[in-house]
Amino acid sequence: MAEAFLLKGSPENLSWSLRDMKGRRSELLKGKPESWMVWGVSERFEWVLQRLEGREVFVYATRGAGIEGGLALYGIARGRAELGGKYWPQGERWLAFYLEVKKAAPGVLEYPENPKAWNLVPREKLVKSGIPVLPGPQKLKLEQAEKLKGLLEQHASESVECRLLVAGKQLNTQLTFEKLIELWRTGATKPFEEVRSVVEGELSSVELDRLAVYIKQRERVAVIEYSLKSGSGKVSAIIACAENPEAALKSFHELKESQAVELQSTDTWLIDAIKETTQNNYYNVEGVAELSEALREVADLASDVIDYYPHGDPRKVSELLVRSAFLFSIFHVIWPLSMGILVDLLVGNLPACFMQLRLLVETAAKALLVDHEMKFQDDVFTGVDELERSLRATSTSKVLRKLSDLKLADKEVVKDAVELWNKLSGEWAHFRGLFRRTEKALEKSGDLQSFRYVLPAELDERDAGDLKELAECVARARRLLRALYSSWLKLLEERLPEAASAFERR
């Protein structure tokens, strides 16, 4: 086989494909073999789809959904699948194909609905094998594909031993590492409930008091200590899963001695409150139209940023990443900020949404100026330092206007950007502005917005005005980002036309 491909995707999208593979919920898989799933690539990478059929495909789950990411599975591409509409929960413009799954990391096929239970081959192992994980689809040589298959086999065969220690005595347990992680993600006390009968068979009735936990999922190490109250006083039950349980227990006790790990209450009221609030805001249970609009705009912002990701030879993209402040910011500043806005919106922290949007606007503008000045000839960090020195004591509004002076943005775009920046700064980021907004809210309705009482906050009609404002500001930021991206791409085409071919105009 001449070449194989390493394709990436979010754990949410991979989970969706795996659940469809297991439950056959969509029309796409009707009549297809049980080992087939639907996977895809962005339409920007159609060149990949045209070369896939009959080739080995490795799927790498990116970081997200509470996991660090890693190699999830591999299979053989079996032809194109025609989507009748949106299939995956994330992303819009995807091209689909059928993938016959040959091998998966532990937990991936067993728990398709729960990425946190997947025991993925960590990125570090791929890098040590000489296979760096780069942005976009990667072509693999035959020897690289064989190495990845070997890693999956090795990872599945590595033995993890689980022990249950009660008052220093080792008892039998049927727990596995994957099961322990699945239980822990469900609830902090769930692992103990799984072994309670064994513990009480040794101690009689016990009451949970506190717990301490040490988990390094990528290294397949987990130690959980439960402090218990029994008829004979306080006693502990420790569940330890690792390839080397003695070493894991030693590390756990050292961390406890240094107070890096401490016994905590089993009362999870704050965690429960965050979960409930996030769920209620996500589903907009109060039916606030402005919240739905804000959620759409913020989700679209994140989708926009994904669309700015490059395609083509990942090595060339990697080389450009260290020479382009704008591209670097897309990956490492703007993308995290866009997701941060979404997370803060879900917990009801509206001021943080506006503050992050403000930083996003500033970052995009200044990063474009760096690339204009440095012409992709130096590393991004040197360029950023030089720009900041040259702009010392210069307001960000003036920096934005400089984009117009340099013909990097139209006057109307810059005018709107300056107005947006001033609004975000004056009304949301500065002490005086925040207090003025509070005063106006009291004058208008005699009440405060929900997020001004306590966080997390379930958003309701009191927040409608701020939510409408957030949606409008995000929409303006999206337009600005689109304009700056177009200017950056034009600059790249002038200086590095070969590199520019990895990007698409929007």
Side-chain angles (χ1 to χ4, degrees):
M1 193 168 290
E3 63 183 14
F5 286 87
L6 176 62
L7 304 181
K8 294 88 176 180
S10 71
E12 293 88 351
N13 283 353
L14 181 55
S15 174
W16 183 269
S17 290
L18 291 167
R19 281 181 286 160
D20 193 20
M21 173 184 171
K22 184 177 182 180
R24 288 300 194 264
R25 299 178 301 180
S26 74
E27 295 290 331
L28 288 168
L29 289 173
K30 286 193 174 179
K32 302 297 182 184
E34 291 185 359
S35 61
W36 284 26
M37 63 177 273
V38 178
W39 195 234
V41 295
S42 168
E43 65 178 10
R44 294 180 292 141
F45 306 125
E46 188 170 7
W47 64 272
V48 174
L49 198 64
Q50 294 170 350
R51 302 170 66 174
L52 278 183
E53 188 162 3
R55 299 185 186 277
E56 290 181 330
V57 174
F58 295 81
V59 177
Y60 184 96
T62 56
R63 184 176 184 177
I67 67 171
E68 291 297 320
L71 183 63
L73 56 85
Y74 93 92
I76 307 295
R78 296 302 184 193
R80 190 161 182 161
E82 297 298 332
L83 299 180
K86 183 173 181 179
Y87 178 75
W88 289 279
Q90 294 184 346
E92 297 289 342
R93 294 175 285 275
W94 278 59
L95 302 173
F97 65 92
Y98 292 109
L99 180 65
E100 180 185 358
V101 178
K102 292 292 188 180
K103 184 73 178 178
V108 172
L109 299 181
E110 295 82 355
Y111 309 107
E113 73 288 344
N114 184 14
K116 294 171 184 175
W118 301 348
N119 182 18
L120 305 175
V121 182
R123 182 190 191 107
E124 292 79 2
K125 285 192 175 183
L126 274 69
V127 173
K128 285 181 181 178
S129 298
I131 307 171
V133 180
L134 303 173
Q138 290 178 239
K139 289 191 293 185
L140 301 173
K141 296 178 181 177
L142 179 61
E143 56 268 28
Q144 290 178 312
E146 291 302 315
K147 284 183 179 180
L148 290 184
K149 284 190 279 187
L151 286 177
L152 279 170
E153 291 287 347
Q154 178 187 0
H155 200 61
S157 64
E158 288 175 344
S159 60
V160 172
E161 180 184 352
C162 288
R163 295 180 182 178
L164 172 60
L165 305 172
V166 179
K169 181 179 179 180
Q170 183 169 333
L171 304 179
N172 291 329
T173 178
Q174 299 300 312
L175 272 178
T176 63
F177 179 81
E178 288 76 21
K179 183 64 175 179
L180 177 63
I181 295 300
E182 181 186 11
L183 290 167
W184 168 256
R185 300 302 184 189
T186 305
T189 61
K190 294 295 184 180
F192 176 76
E193 298 302 333
E194 185 76 9
V195 300
R196 178 186 280 275
S197 60
V198 178
V199 174
E200 292 187 336
E202 182 73 18
L203 299 175
S204 295
S205 180
V206 297
E207 179 185 343
L208 269 174
D209 183 22
R210 296 186 296 166
L211 68 87
V213 61
Y214 168 59
I215 295 176
K216 296 180 77 73
Q217 193 167 345
R218 284 180 295 174
E219 298 174 18
R220 306 188 80 189
V221 171
V223 181
I224 307 176
E225 177 183 2
Y226 292 97
S227 176
L228 310 170
K229 294 178 182 178
S230 70
S232 58
K234 287 192 174 183
V235 68
S236 69
I238 299 177
I239 303 170
C241 293
E243 293 175 24
N244 187 338
E246 290 84 0
L249 286 165
K250 181 181 178 183
S251 297
F252 174 74
H253 290 304
E254 288 174 350
L255 289 168
K256 280 190 68 180
E257 288 176 8
S258 68
Q259 297 185 324
V261 169
E262 296 182 287
L263 286 165
Q264 304 282 353
S265 170
T266 57
D267 187 350
T268 59
W269 69 268
L270 179 58
I271 296 171
D272 295 338
I274 292 173
K275 286 181 178 178
E276 182 180 357
T277 302
T278 299
Q279 177 172 285
N280 288 346
N281 284 334
Y282 180 83
Y283 289 105
N284 190 12
V285 297
E286 296 247 351
V288 182
E290 291 80 2
L291 174 55
S292 292
E293 180 61 24
L295 284 167
R296 280 193 294 270
E297 283 293 343
V298 173
D300 286 345
L301 171 63
S303 295
D304 287 351
V305 178
I306 293 174
D307 286 341
Y308 299 142
Y309 277 34
H311 59 83
D313 190 337
R315 288 171 298 182
K316 294 179 181 178
V317 173
S318 183
E319 292 169 2
L320 179 62
L321 192 62
V322 297
R323 291 194 288 159
S324 169
F326 191 83
L327 182 60
F328 188 91
S329 72
I330 288 289
F331 275 91
H332 302 300
V333 183
I334 294 173
W335 168 245
L337 285 174
S338 65
M339 291 305 295
I341 294 169
L342 178 58
V343 170
D344 278 309
L345 177 56
L346 291 175
V347 296
N349 191 359
L350 294 188
C353 295
F354 286 97
M355 292 175 188
Q356 289 180 96
L357 192 62
R358 174 180 181 265
L359 180 56
L360 186 152
V361 169
E362 177 184 3
T363 298
K366 288 186 174 179
L368 178 58
L369 284 175
V370 169
D371 286 351
H372 178 269
E373 297 299 325
M374 304 303 293
K375 304 290 190 295
F376 311 107
Q377 298 302 308
D378 212 333
D379 70 271
V380 296
F381 307 106
T382 299
V384 169
D385 288 342
E386 291 190 7
L387 178 71
E388 287 297 324
R389 278 194 295 269
S390 68
L391 296 177
R392 189 170 290 131
T394 301
S395 70
T396 301
S397 295
K398 290 182 179 179
V399 172
L400 290 168
R401 291 189 180 97
K402 191 174 181 181
L403 294 172
S404 177
D405 297 338
L406 295 171
K407 309 298 183 185
L408 293 173
D410 295 337
K411 288 184 178 180
E412 288 302 314
V413 170
V414 170
K415 179 183 177 183
D416 189 56
V418 171
E419 290 175 358
L420 174 61
W421 167 262
N422 289 338
K423 182 178 186 63
L424 294 171
S425 299
E427 298 184 23
W428 289 99
H430 295 160
F431 170 78
R432 186 181 181 189
L434 285 171
F435 268 74
R436 275 187 171 179
R437 293 191 71 89
T438 304
E439 181 183 21
K440 288 179 180 179
L442 287 170
E443 290 176 350
K444 183 178 180 180
S445 63
D447 197 3
L448 293 174
Q449 299 95 329
S450 57
F451 60 84
R452 297 193 189 279
Y453 286 105
V454 66
L455 290 175
E458 187 174 327
L459 300 167
D460 56 34
E461 290 294 343
R462 290 173 295 176
D463 311 300
D466 290 333
L467 288 165
K468 181 179 180 181
E469 187 174 326
L470 177 63
E472 292 170 351
C473 287
V474 172
R476 294 167 73 179
R478 290 177 61 204
R479 289 194 294 271
L480 172 64
L481 196 56
R482 198 176 301 123
L484 297 184
Y485 172 81
S486 295
S487 295
W488 173 79
L489 186 53
K490 182 179 179 182
L491 187 65
L492 187 64
E493 288 168 342
E494 293 172 355
R495 304 295 302 186
L496 299 170
E498 185 179 352
S501 64
F503 300 86
E504 289 186 5
R505 288 205 165 273
R506 297 290 167 189

